[in-house]
Amino acid sequence: MRIAIAGAGNVGRSIASELIGNGHQVMLIERQPRQLRPERVPQAEWVLADACEVSSLEEADVAGCDVVVAATGDDKANLVVSLLAKTEFAVNRVVARVNRAENEWLFTEQWGVDVAVSKPRLMAALVEEAVTVGDLVRLMTFRQGEANLVEITLPANAPYVGQPVRSIPMPRDAALVAVLRGKRVLVPTPDDPLEAGDELIFVCTTEVEDAVRAVVLGKLGELG
């Protein structure tokens, strides 16, 4: 994919390096000359421009990008970049960084944002994921809240411990996508047995989260 990243600070450069490592073509757009450091990510295309200006985005051919990432440290700038990318250049996928938790409610489809990534929320979710056993933890939200990535760590007395994956009556609009066991990441098959301590990763809609909790945890889930 061809991906444009607005903001070449630490966050933008880190994202660029990861995406380039995965084989994508990346363009970094930065308006501050002091932040223009091509030697940090030499495989990327670097553009000195203001991503909040339509003319700059036109010159950078943002319309030819598959994804735009608004990764500056300014929420207002990220919203403007997202809105321009979606409405002026019809970019298929817009991902925006949320710097301040109180601004998260603004990062919606109305502002052109397909996926909002909030560092405070993500850090809180990771803390919960690390310490929570026997409950559902929401890790990430996709498609303006239509779908979520959630995790459940199985306690020893969960009803399906020792049973194969196919025995779990999964609710509609929910899918078990991975099982984390120790240092291993398992792609679950119907015959794989579940073990106490397994971290089950699901993608599901918000509406069925309670049903997933109740099914996987039985009475434990109902008590929550």
Side-chain angles (χ1 to χ4, degrees):
M1 292 189 297
R2 185 167 187 260
I3 301 166
I5 300 174
N10 291 332
V11 172
R13 294 197 304 269
S14 295
I15 296 170
S17 296
E18 288 287 335
L19 292 171
I20 290 169
N22 290 334
H24 301 293
Q25 180 184 354
V26 175
M27 172 174 58
L28 279 161
I29 305 173
E30 175 56 53
R31 69 183 183 89
Q32 297 285 355
R34 60 185 173 80
Q35 291 280 32
L36 213 67
R37 299 175 180 177
E39 72 280 1
R40 297 288 183 93
V41 192
Q43 304 95 328
E45 175 187 356
W46 287 74
V47 176
L48 180 61
D50 187 345
C52 292
E53 295 183 358
V54 173
S55 58
S56 297
L57 297 179
E58 284 178 344
E59 190 171 335
D61 189 26
V62 166
C65 292
D66 302 289
V67 182
V68 165
V69 181
T72 79
D74 185 331
D75 284 343
K76 295 188 294 295
N78 289 342
L79 286 170
V80 171
V81 170
S82 299
L83 187 63
L84 291 177
K86 185 66 71 174
T87 60
E88 297 293 329
F89 300 96
V91 175
N92 184 55
R93 190 77 163 168
V94 177
V95 179
R97 170 188 177 188
V98 184
N99 295 279
R100 299 177 65 87
E102 61 266 30
N103 295 332
E104 190 173 354
W105 66 277
L106 288 166
F107 286 74
T108 64
E109 188 175 12
Q110 284 69 35
W111 277 95
V113 178
D114 293 306
V115 178
V117 181
S118 169
K119 185 181 292 186
R121 171 175 286 189
L122 182 58
M123 290 181 69
L126 292 173
V127 169
E128 287 187 279
E129 184 272 334
V131 301
T132 303
V133 176
D135 203 356
L136 182 145
V137 176
R138 185 183 297 175
L139 300 177
M140 190 171 292
T141 297
F142 306 104
R143 298 180 63 84
Q144 296 88 47
E146 294 176 9
N148 301 312
L149 188 71
V150 303
E151 182 265 355
I152 297 176
T153 299
L154 288 181
N157 56 347
Y160 295 100
V161 169
Q163 298 190 40
V165 169
R166 67 171 179 273
S167 65
I168 304 176
M170 290 300 301
R172 186 178 178 180
D173 296 326
L176 176 63
V177 295
V179 176
L180 309 185
R181 182 175 295 160
K183 295 182 179 181
R184 300 178 62 199
V185 178
L186 308 176
V187 178
T189 67
D191 294 326
D192 287 335
L194 298 175
E195 298 180 4
D198 281 353
E199 296 182 48
L200 308 186
I201 307 297
F202 299 88
V203 173
C204 64
T205 61
T206 302
E207 289 74 16
V208 301
E209 283 185 356
D210 288 342
V212 171
R213 179 190 290 110
V215 166
V216 174
L217 299 171
K219 293 182 179 179
L220 289 174
E222 293 172 3
L223 291 175

XYZ file of all heavy atoms in Angstrom, residues 83-146:
508
model
N -10.125 15.179 7.857
C -11.270 15.680 7.090
C -10.886 15.951 5.633
O -11.617 15.578 4.707
C -11.820 16.945 7.736
C -13.116 17.496 7.135
C -14.252 16.495 7.297
C -13.489 18.824 7.794
N -9.729 16.563 5.416
C -9.282 16.839 4.054
C -9.004 15.552 3.288
O -9.375 15.417 2.111
C -8.029 17.719 4.079
C -8.216 19.163 4.559
C -6.868 19.881 4.600
C -9.187 19.911 3.671
N -8.355 14.608 3.952
C -8.021 13.348 3.283
C -9.276 12.630 2.811
O -9.317 12.081 1.700
C -7.214 12.457 4.220
N -10.300 12.663 3.627
C -11.526 11.923 3.301
C -12.407 12.695 2.316
O -12.903 12.113 1.339
C -12.304 11.617 4.585
C -13.531 10.744 4.388
C -13.173 9.325 3.932
C -12.528 8.531 5.043
N -12.316 7.119 4.637
N -12.622 13.970 2.567
C -13.600 14.716 1.761
C -13.014 15.276 0.473
O -13.696 15.329 -0.547
C -14.207 15.867 2.580
O -13.159 16.756 2.996
C -14.936 15.333 3.807
N -11.754 15.718 0.501
C -11.149 16.340 -0.679
C -10.432 15.336 -1.570
O -10.337 15.527 -2.785
C -10.162 17.441 -0.255
C -10.803 18.601 0.489
C -11.737 19.415 -0.396
O -11.477 19.500 -1.614
O -12.736 19.942 0.133
N -9.920 14.255 -0.961
C -9.094 13.328 -1.732
C -9.620 11.895 -1.726
O -9.001 11.004 -2.294
C -7.651 13.366 -1.217
C -7.028 14.728 -1.335
C -7.023 15.589 -0.255
C -6.486 15.157 -2.533
C -6.472 16.854 -0.361
C -5.931 16.419 -2.651
C -5.929 17.280 -1.561
N -10.748 11.670 -1.054
C -11.427 10.364 -1.060
C -10.493 9.214 -0.693
O -10.549 8.133 -1.292
C -12.064 10.110 -2.429
N -9.641 9.438 0.295
C -8.745 8.376 0.760
C -9.587 7.286 1.428
O -10.473 7.577 2.238
C -7.692 8.933 1.741
C -6.850 7.804 2.323
C -6.805 9.945 1.027
N -9.298 6.050 1.098
C -10.133 4.941 1.557
C -10.081 4.738 3.071
O -11.091 4.442 3.698
C -9.705 3.656 0.852
C -10.581 2.472 1.212
O -11.797 2.525 1.062
N -9.965 1.406 1.699
N -8.904 4.918 3.664
C -8.740 4.621 5.093
C -7.980 5.757 5.758
O -6.884 6.111 5.340
C -7.961 3.315 5.242
C -7.903 2.753 6.642
C -9.196 2.096 7.005
N -9.065 1.212 8.154
C -10.097 0.700 8.800
N -11.320 0.984 8.405
N -9.941 -0.096 9.823
N -8.562 6.340 6.798
C -7.924 7.427 7.536
C -7.801 7.016 8.998
O -8.798 6.692 9.655
C -8.719 8.742 7.416
C -8.075 9.833 8.263
C -8.813 9.185 5.959
N -6.578 7.038 9.482
C -6.291 6.684 10.878
C -5.754 7.934 11.565
O -4.856 8.607 11.039
C -5.246 5.555 10.966
C -4.943 5.215 12.421
C -5.734 4.316 10.220
N -6.300 8.269 12.735
C -5.913 9.504 13.410
C -5.455 9.240 14.840
O -6.047 8.441 15.564
C -7.066 10.502 13.413
N -4.415 9.941 15.217
C -3.892 9.883 16.582
C -4.659 10.868 17.457
O -4.848 12.025 17.084
C -2.408 10.232 16.567
C -1.755 10.443 17.921
C -0.334 10.977 17.724
N 0.339 11.265 18.982
C 1.519 11.888 19.064
N 2.129 12.280 17.954
N 2.077 12.124 20.236
N -5.093 10.398 18.630
C -5.742 11.259 19.618
C -4.731 11.518 20.728
O -4.277 10.588 21.401
C -7.008 10.602 20.208
C -7.703 11.566 21.166
C -7.957 10.164 19.110
N -4.371 12.787 20.923
C -3.363 13.122 21.923
C -3.954 13.362 23.308
O -3.343 13.004 24.315
C -2.596 14.371 21.476
C -1.789 14.131 20.223
O -0.698 13.587 20.268
N -2.337 14.520 19.077
N -5.140 13.963 23.335
C -5.777 14.286 24.621
C -7.092 13.532 24.730
O -7.954 13.632 23.840
C -6.008 15.795 24.743
C -4.722 16.608 24.702
C -5.008 18.101 24.757
N -5.612 18.475 26.038
C -4.929 18.785 27.134
N -3.607 18.771 27.108
N -5.551 19.112 28.246
N -7.253 12.785 25.817
C -8.414 11.910 25.978
C -9.730 12.680 25.884
O -10.723 12.153 25.373
C -8.330 11.173 27.319
N -9.752 13.933 26.332
C -11.002 14.692 26.320
C -11.436 15.063 24.906
O -12.579 15.486 24.693
C -10.881 15.955 27.181
C -9.816 16.926 26.735
C -8.484 16.721 27.443
O -8.190 15.575 27.818
O -7.761 17.724 27.611
N -10.543 14.910 23.928
C -10.896 15.220 22.540
C -11.342 13.994 21.754
O -11.715 14.125 20.582
C -9.696 15.852 21.826
C -9.310 17.203 22.398
O -10.161 17.909 22.929
N -8.049 17.555 22.307
N -11.329 12.855 22.374
C -11.583 11.608 21.642
C -12.960 11.592 20.973
O -13.129 11.029 19.896
C -11.439 10.417 22.591
C -11.444 9.072 21.898
C -11.128 7.931 22.854
O -10.806 8.200 24.024
O -11.215 6.775 22.420
N -13.939 12.220 21.591
C -15.305 12.208 21.049
C -15.385 12.893 19.689
O -16.311 12.634 18.907
C -16.260 12.893 22.035
C -15.998 14.365 22.223
C -15.090 14.943 23.050
C -16.661 15.444 21.545
N -15.138 16.319 22.949
C -16.092 16.649 22.036
C -17.684 15.520 20.602
C -16.507 17.899 21.596
C -18.102 16.774 20.156
C -17.515 17.941 20.659
N -14.424 13.743 19.361
C -14.440 14.449 18.081
C -13.975 13.575 16.915
O -14.314 13.836 15.761
C -13.532 15.677 18.150
C -14.026 16.855 18.989
C -12.886 17.835 19.247
C -15.184 17.561 18.285
N -13.211 12.541 17.218
C -12.578 11.755 16.165
C -13.549 10.704 15.629
O -13.467 9.512 15.940
C -11.295 11.109 16.693
C -10.169 12.092 16.847
C -10.169 13.018 17.884
C -9.114 12.109 15.952
C -9.134 13.930 18.025
C -8.069 13.016 16.090
C -8.091 13.938 17.122
N -14.476 11.160 14.800
C -15.538 10.309 14.284
C -15.584 10.398 12.767
O -14.805 11.118 12.132
C -16.907 10.747 14.849
O -17.192 12.080 14.365
C -16.917 10.745 16.372
N -16.539 9.667 12.201
C -16.719 9.661 10.752
C -17.022 11.062 10.218
O -16.664 11.392 9.078
C -17.849 8.690 10.394
C -18.015 8.442 8.910
C -19.068 7.391 8.632
O -19.805 7.040 9.582
O -19.154 6.922 7.490
N -17.683 11.887 11.021
C -18.012 13.241 10.580
C -16.750 14.059 10.292
O -16.782 14.992 9.486
C -18.865 13.962 11.633
C -20.312 13.528 11.680
C -20.494 12.116 12.205
O -19.753 11.674 13.080
N -21.458 11.382 11.658
N -15.654 13.711 10.941
C -14.382 14.384 10.697
C -13.481 13.567 9.777
O -12.284 13.854 9.661
C -13.665 14.663 12.016
C -14.148 15.910 12.688
C -15.099 16.029 13.647
C -13.693 17.250 12.420
N -15.279 17.333 14.003
C -14.418 18.115 13.272
C -12.745 17.804 11.562
C -14.228 19.493 13.278
C -12.562 19.169 11.573
C -13.287 20.007 12.411
N -14.038 12.541 9.145
C -13.271 11.754 8.187
C -12.438 10.658 8.789
O -11.639 10.023 8.087
N -12.595 10.403 10.079
C -11.751 9.425 10.774
C -12.381 8.036 10.714
O -13.521 7.845 11.153
C -11.541 9.836 12.249
C -10.704 8.792 12.985
C -10.883 11.210 12.327
N -11.646 7.081 10.182
C -12.103 5.691 10.182
C -11.689 4.975 11.465
O -12.452 4.208 12.034
C -11.530 4.936 8.977
C -12.085 5.454 7.659
O -13.325 5.496 7.522
O -11.292 5.839 6.781
N -10.459 5.220 11.910
C -9.952 4.595 13.137
C -9.238 5.661 13.954
O -8.344 6.346 13.453
C -8.966 3.442 12.836
C -8.431 2.854 14.137
C -9.631 2.359 12.009
N -9.644 5.826 15.210
C -8.988 6.755 16.131
C -8.175 5.954 17.134
O -8.684 5.009 17.733
C -10.025 7.624 16.848
N -6.927 6.337 17.303
C -6.050 5.645 18.241
C -5.715 6.600 19.375
O -5.039 7.608 19.180
C -4.752 5.164 17.556
C -3.874 4.431 18.558
C -5.079 4.265 16.378
N -6.235 6.281 20.553
C -6.024 7.116 21.728
C -4.986 6.456 22.631
O -5.214 5.374 23.160
C -7.341 7.304 22.494
O -7.103 7.893 23.755
N -3.845 7.115 22.798
C -2.794 6.540 23.639
C -3.269 6.341 25.082
O -3.020 5.284 25.668
C -1.540 7.414 23.603
C -0.363 6.803 24.360
C 0.864 7.698 24.323
C 1.453 7.790 22.947
N 2.732 8.554 22.952
N -3.980 7.311 25.709
C -4.462 7.059 27.072
C -5.372 5.835 27.161
O -5.246 5.019 28.061
C -5.210 8.347 27.421
C -4.573 9.391 26.576
C -4.247 8.701 25.291
N -6.311 5.707 26.195
C -7.214 4.560 26.234
C -6.453 3.257 25.994
O -6.700 2.244 26.652
C -8.322 4.717 25.193
C -9.168 3.445 25.034
C -10.331 3.630 24.096
N -11.382 4.430 24.707
C -12.579 4.604 24.172
N -12.867 4.052 23.016
N -13.493 5.327 24.783
N -5.518 3.287 25.027
C -4.755 2.077 24.724
C -3.922 1.650 25.914
O -3.857 0.467 26.256
C -3.864 2.322 23.505
C -3.038 1.134 23.024
C -3.935 -0.052 22.684
C -2.199 1.525 21.820
N -3.285 2.610 26.590
C -2.471 2.269 27.756
C -3.338 1.698 28.872
O -2.955 0.723 29.527
C -1.711 3.505 28.242
C -0.605 3.944 27.304
S 0.309 5.380 27.899
C 1.168 4.672 29.297
N -4.503 2.279 29.080
C -5.413 1.758 30.101
C -5.851 0.337 29.762
O -5.914 -0.536 30.640
C -6.630 2.669 30.243
N -6.138 0.098 28.478
C -6.555 -1.237 28.055
C -5.445 -2.248 28.260
O -5.681 -3.387 28.695
C -6.990 -1.217 26.590
N -4.202 -1.852 27.969
C -3.084 -2.766 28.137
C -2.842 -3.089 29.608
O -2.470 -4.211 29.959
C -1.819 -2.178 27.499
C -1.848 -2.089 25.974
C -0.622 -1.349 25.458
C -1.938 -3.471 25.346
N -3.051 -2.083 30.473
C -2.935 -2.343 31.913
C -3.995 -3.351 32.345
O -3.713 -4.327 33.050
C -3.057 -1.039 32.717
C -3.199 -1.347 34.206
C -1.847 -0.153 32.476
N -5.246 -3.120 31.909
C -6.324 -4.039 32.257
C -6.036 -5.442 31.735
O -6.231 -6.437 32.428
C -7.648 -3.547 31.676
C -8.235 -2.357 32.373
C -9.620 -2.069 31.839
O -9.729 -1.437 30.775
O -10.601 -2.505 32.485
N -5.564 -5.516 30.493
C -5.294 -6.813 29.877
C -4.237 -7.578 30.659
O -4.296 -8.799 30.792
C -4.838 -6.597 28.427
C -4.612 -7.872 27.629
C -3.212 -8.379 27.781
O -2.306 -7.588 28.063
O -3.019 -9.597 27.633
N -3.266 -6.849 31.227
C -2.171 -7.500 31.930
C -2.584 -8.054 33.289
O -1.979 -9.005 33.778
C -1.012 -6.516 32.102
N -3.609 -7.460 33.905
C -3.929 -7.840 35.285
C -5.301 -8.489 35.445
O -5.612 -9.006 36.514
C -3.857 -6.612 36.226
C -2.470 -5.993 36.182
C -4.901 -5.572 35.856
N -6.115 -8.489 34.400
C -7.487 -8.961 34.525
C -7.619 -10.406 34.081
O -7.256 -10.761 32.963
C -8.449 -8.092 33.694
O -8.325 -6.738 34.129
C -9.888 -8.548 33.860
N -8.142 -11.240 34.974
C -8.462 -12.630 34.649
C -9.948 -12.830 34.931
O -10.459 -12.396 35.960
C -7.626 -13.620 35.491
C -8.041 -15.056 35.201
C -6.144 -13.437 35.208
N -10.655 -13.462 34.006
C -12.056 -13.758 34.235
C -13.008 -12.642 33.905
O -14.123 -12.601 34.422
N -12.602 -11.712 33.048
C -13.521 -10.683 32.572
C -13.083 -10.259 31.181
O -11.993 -10.584 30.723
C -13.553 -9.479 33.506
C -14.855 -8.681 33.361
O -15.671 -9.031 32.486
O -15.042 -7.717 34.112
N -13.969 -9.528 30.508
C -13.688 -9.078 29.149
C -13.053 -7.699 29.185
O -13.526 -6.809 29.888
C -14.989 -9.062 28.342
C -14.920 -8.654 26.872
C -15.946 -9.448 26.048
C -15.189 -7.147 26.714
N -11.962 -7.532 28.430
C -11.260 -6.252 28.343
C -11.275 -5.803 26.887
O -10.860 -6.546 25.992
C -9.803 -6.376 28.831
C -9.068 -5.047 28.636
C -9.760 -6.804 30.284
N -11.749 -4.588 26.644
C -11.752 -4.040 25.288
C -10.392 -3.420 24.996
O -9.954 -2.505 25.681
C -12.851 -2.999 25.131
C -13.004 -2.469 23.708
C -14.061 -1.395 23.622
N -15.387 -1.898 23.971
C -16.468 -1.126 24.067
N -16.363 0.178 23.855
N -17.629 -1.641 24.387
N -9.729 -3.910 23.960
C -8.393 -3.448 23.623
C -8.406 -2.327 22.596
O -7.607 -1.406 22.665
C -7.543 -4.606 23.088
C -7.335 -5.795 24.029
C -6.541 -6.878 23.323
C -6.616 -5.347 25.296
N -9.285 -2.432 21.602
C -9.283 -1.457 20.518
C -10.643 -1.441 19.837
O -11.345 -2.451 19.824
C -8.188 -1.804 19.504
C -7.920 -0.741 18.463
S -6.448 -1.105 17.452
C -5.164 -0.908 18.691
N -10.977 -0.284 19.281
C -12.247 -0.109 18.583
C -11.986 0.181 17.115
O -11.072 0.930 16.776
C -13.044 1.051 19.209
O -13.361 0.718 20.562
C -14.331 1.305 18.449
N -12.790 -0.443 16.245
C -12.662 -0.245 14.807
C -13.965 0.319 14.247
O -15.024 0.181 14.832
C -12.379 -1.568 14.088
C -11.202 -2.323 14.624
C -11.385 -3.439 15.425
C -9.912 -1.928 14.324
C -10.298 -4.142 15.911
C -8.819 -2.618 14.807
C -9.016 -3.737 15.606
N -13.882 0.911 13.070
C -15.048 1.323 12.290
C -16.032 2.149 13.111
O -17.210 1.834 13.228
C -15.745 0.101 11.692
C -14.869 -0.678 10.726
C -15.597 -1.879 10.173
N -16.757 -1.462 9.402
C -16.705 -1.106 8.125
N -15.566 -1.106 7.489
N -17.804 -0.749 7.477
N -15.497 3.213 13.727
C -16.327 4.143 14.519
C -17.157 3.421 15.584
O -18.318 3.731 15.809
C -17.254 4.958 13.617
C -16.551 5.884 12.663
C -16.193 5.199 11.362
O -17.006 4.516 10.776
N -14.996 5.395 10.890
N -16.546 2.419 16.227
C -17.227 1.744 17.322
C -18.104 0.586 16.915
O -18.752 -0.027 17.754
N -18.153 0.253 15.613
C -19.003 -0.845 15.174
C -18.433 -2.203 15.572
O -19.160 -3.184 15.713
C -19.190 -0.794 13.655
C -19.969 0.419 13.176
C -20.037 0.484 11.671
O -19.639 -0.500 11.012
O -20.472 1.514 11.140
